[in-house]
Amino acid sequence: SKEIELDFVKKVLRVAGRIGIKIESSINHIIQLFLDILNSNKKESSLINDIMISMQLFFRKYDKSKFSEIFPLLFPHLNDMLEPRAKTAAIWIIGTFAPLISNSIQMIESKCKNILQEDREVQLQLLTSAIKVFLFYPNECKEMIIELLSKCAENVSIPDVRDRAYIYWRMLSQDANLAKSVILGDLIPIKEKVDTFSIINVDEMVGRLGSVSCSLHKRPEELYIGYFIPTILLIYHLLIQEIIN
């Protein structure tokens, strides 16, 4: 069949993103996979959602110079995200790399108009990214940020969003330069714990794929008391049958 198994491809992209965070040497292969999808004539918006989520994590962990080839291909899709996590990732990219995106002001303004209709995590990220764009372009975004902070403080029902709006408002009114150094400061790179297993354990797990012990990355004897008893009873039963026969 020539039809794309969409769910399978989405799972592949998610796993590829997790591998990219844990194993730096795999990044070039994963970026090439993302490039193939972005350059495809039949790319699905749901796949681009997963790519955007992974790319946000990559940008947070690695130097952006690693992604010079894929970076421009993401820009046309920043407004097309449908899933909340993908929206959050796209908005984070707009705010973090606003000087590199020619229409970042227009993009963030259009998203701020609909902030009341967004989910909590999207609202929080949109507020932060809008503040970042304002700090990059204070003269062009002054009216936008006043309107946004007022809207979040007065009309948003979510306490976390409302409190963050008040915090930003206070920071900007007290010392704009200090606020800029804090909000636009360097991000702490994310870290992923890499689990390692002995060859013996891996071989045993492969032989028990689909079992509870494999899912928990444990040997059966570490989970079940008396795990070997059924095996011993089976051997005993076979010996008895051999003797009888």
Side-chain angles (χ1 to χ4, degrees):
S1 175
K2 294 183 179 180
E3 293 295 325
I4 298 175
E5 293 290 344
L6 200 56
D7 289 339
F8 175 75
V9 178
K10 284 174 67 66
K11 288 180 180 178
V12 169
L13 291 178
R14 290 170 185 170
V15 171
R18 292 177 62 188
I19 292 173
I21 290 296
K22 292 186 176 184
I23 307 174
E24 185 174 357
S25 59
S26 67
I27 278 292
N28 290 336
H29 300 288
I30 294 169
I31 293 300
Q32 187 57 54
L33 171 64
F34 291 172
L35 284 171
D36 291 341
I37 293 174
L38 291 172
N39 288 322
S40 170
N41 294 326
K42 296 183 179 181
K43 52 181 174 286
E44 295 281 344
S45 59
S46 59
L47 300 183
I48 300 175
N49 277 248
D50 288 309
I51 290 175
M52 196 71 71
I53 293 169
S54 294
M55 287 308 304
Q56 182 206 8
L57 298 176
F58 292 171
F59 286 137
R60 289 193 59 189
K61 179 158 187 179
Y62 305 115
D63 189 276
K64 66 177 181 294
S65 60
K66 289 179 176 286
F67 315 111
S68 57
E69 191 174 355
I70 195 173
F71 203 65
L73 297 179
L74 296 175
F75 295 164
H77 304 288
L78 290 175
N79 276 330
D80 302 333
M81 301 297 101
L82 301 175
E83 302 171 9
R85 278 193 67 199
K87 282 185 179 181
T88 302
I91 293 168
W92 181 90
I93 291 173
I94 295 172
T96 303
F97 302 109
L100 302 179
I101 304 173
S102 59
N103 60 337
S104 59
I105 296 176
Q106 292 76 17
M107 294 175 74
I108 207 72
E109 283 180 342
S110 66
K111 292 184 178 298
C112 286
K113 292 178 181 178
N114 301 316
I115 189 171
L116 298 179
Q117 284 73 51
E118 299 291 357
D119 294 337
R120 172 185 171 278
E121 62 266 29
V122 178
Q123 289 182 349
L124 287 168
Q125 186 58 62
L126 183 53
L127 180 57
T128 298
S129 291
I131 293 291
K132 287 183 178 181
V133 175
F134 166 73
L135 292 173
F136 284 123
Y137 305 104
N139 296 328
E140 296 89 335
C141 300
K142 186 175 181 179
E143 291 184 6
M144 177 200 74
I145 209 65
I146 291 175
E147 181 181 349
L148 176 64
L149 290 174
S150 298
K151 187 183 294 185
C152 290
E154 298 171 4
N155 300 326
V156 173
S157 60
I158 302 172
D160 291 344
V161 179
R162 196 166 57 243
D163 290 347
R164 184 174 295 189
Y166 280 122
I167 291 171
Y168 283 143
W169 205 330
R170 178 97 178 193
M171 290 175 69
L172 293 172
S173 62
Q174 291 290 322
D175 191 335
N177 290 326
L178 179 60
K180 186 173 184 177
S181 65
V182 172
I183 298 170
L184 298 181
D186 295 334
L187 292 173
I188 299 175
I190 59 175
K191 295 181 180 180
E192 276 282 336
K193 180 182 177 182
V194 179
D195 298 321
T196 57
F197 305 98
S198 69
I199 297 298
I200 295 175
N201 284 349
V202 171
D203 288 341
E204 287 190 9
M205 284 187 221
V206 169
R208 299 188 180 91
L209 287 176
S211 65
V212 174
S213 60
C214 180
S215 300
L216 297 175
H217 298 170
K218 299 285 187 180
R219 291 183 174 183
E221 58 267 30
E222 294 178 298
L223 293 177
Y224 309 115
I225 298 175
Y227 167 74
F228 287 108
I229 292 178
T231 305
I232 295 171
L233 289 176
L234 177 61
I235 295 173
Y236 176 76
H237 175 73
L238 292 174
L239 286 174
I240 294 297
Q241 290 295 322
E242 185 70 23
I243 294 171
I244 294 173
N245 294 333

